[in-house]
Amino acid sequence: MLNDSMSKKLIFSTFFFIVGFSLQYSQAQNLAEYNWLFGNSDRAILFNKGTNQPRIDSIQFTPFGTGGSAVISDPLTGDLLYYSDGNNVYDTNHELLPNGTGLEADPTINRAAAVIPFTFLDGRYLLFTNPGSTGSNEILYSVVDKNLMGNANIGIGEPARGDIAGKNLPTGLTNPSDGMITIEGAATNQHWLITNDRTTFEYKVLEVNDGIPDIAGVQTFNLNTPTVPGFVAASFAYNQDSLLLAVAPKDQNRNILLLDFDPATGALAFNSQILNSGNTDFTSEAVYDLEWSANGSKLYFSRHGAAAGNNGNLYQVALDDPSMSVNAVLSSPVFRSYGVQRGPDRRVYHLYQLTSTSNIEVGRINQADSIFSADSARFNVFYDSLVFGNQNFSGLQFPAFPAPN
């Protein structure tokens, strides 16, 4: 673990004391995030719209990519509309869209696909696909249009099921890292797509207004310094209350960064780094993924694991604790630790592999806003390693959803 000096003092206790309780139940219900289709298995995690409780259903089309997929659902009803692994797009009936092939993502990387909607309930979506270091070497976008007939049976009067209206259009975001995220802007129908250049370590921010990407106006932020050197980003996690963007280092010997984000202008600025969050047990990933707790006071991150030995793990950093210590959540390390994502039930889900021959299973942090304690007699985060039994999800990352409108 690293012990670099922190460039900027974090002061979070007051913020979380004031905001934490008031925001606990104020977040609007977004039913667009209730269908989790991901991984190369037919299993999907579906959340109940009334109780927010999850269940498993075998509905997903296979074969499907193992990396970070994207799922589009109706934000008002929660009905599944489309899902994609970055190469192919499927409709609500799990049928391939007529023009839904040949998208140019690498379906194995951390965030292969991400989505931004046009105007509210317009029925069109921008699907961004990330090739990483392969193929076109540029993030591209395609337009998914619900108003097109697609696979609908016109003869029996079936309503439109949608299709791809424009495919593999350029963004100018070249040399992308695996990390990619979409964020709601401050203005109506304003959104941002953020990625990281894997060669220069610069952050690139693309503005989208009313579904139109401002390709000529891409902003670039070089936040590298001698004391806090840059890295290839594995993934991002955004806290809409504190406006902090957490960045996971794919490279070894680098700490997690916290960046200030301005949703009105798209500006990024260095805030701080999480000390002791890096590692040297590098294979192809150092920190695989990260996620905020529901009230934003805790940050969880997934240590991927090394080539030799079982040292994948899941950690918590309590930003409302002055010590901001890094604590392992798992009772013992695992072979590999992958994606982490907060569900509609406010609990944090975790993909992991116990041994090199094990299934990729889902664990869950049941009290993610609590401070972790190794003493089981004290109030704890309550990690459940077998929330869905030992079912194999064959996936390394959970899906992304459309940034809210």
Side-chain angles (χ1 to χ4, degrees), residues 300 314 329 347-349 363-368 381-384:
Y300 293 89
L314 182 63
V329 172
R347 295 178 286 194
V348 173
Y349 292 77
R364 184 175 67 195
I365 300 171
N366 289 322
Q367 299 288 344
V381 298
F382 298 112
Y383 183 85
D384 182 355

Side-chain angles (χ1 to χ4, degrees), residues 78 190 198 204 211 255-256 300 307 386:
Q190 179 191 40
R198 69 178 186 278
K204 296 182 179 180
N255 284 317
I256 292 170
Y300 293 89
L386 293 173

Side-chain angles (χ1 to χ4, degrees), residues 103-184:
L103 279 65
E104 297 187 9
D106 178 348
T108 68
I109 65 174
N110 203 312
R111 184 51 59 206
V115 182
I116 288 177
F118 276 63
T119 56
F120 186 61
L121 298 183
D122 174 270
R124 291 177 296 169
Y125 301 85
L126 299 182
L127 176 62
F128 293 90
T129 50
N130 186 358
S133 59
T134 66
S136 63
N137 195 38
E138 178 183 0
I139 292 175
L140 304 174
Y141 73 95
S142 302
V143 179
V144 183
D145 190 342
K146 184 184 175 185
N147 305 300
L148 299 178
M149 292 308 297
N151 292 313
N153 189 331
I154 302 175
I156 62 173
E158 186 178 3
R161 284 165 53 186
D163 202 356
I164 303 296
K167 186 161 62 177
N168 294 332
L169 304 173
T171 65
L173 301 172
T174 57
N175 302 316
S177 70
D178 293 2
M180 179 174 67
I181 189 172
T182 58
I183 298 175
E184 181 183 15

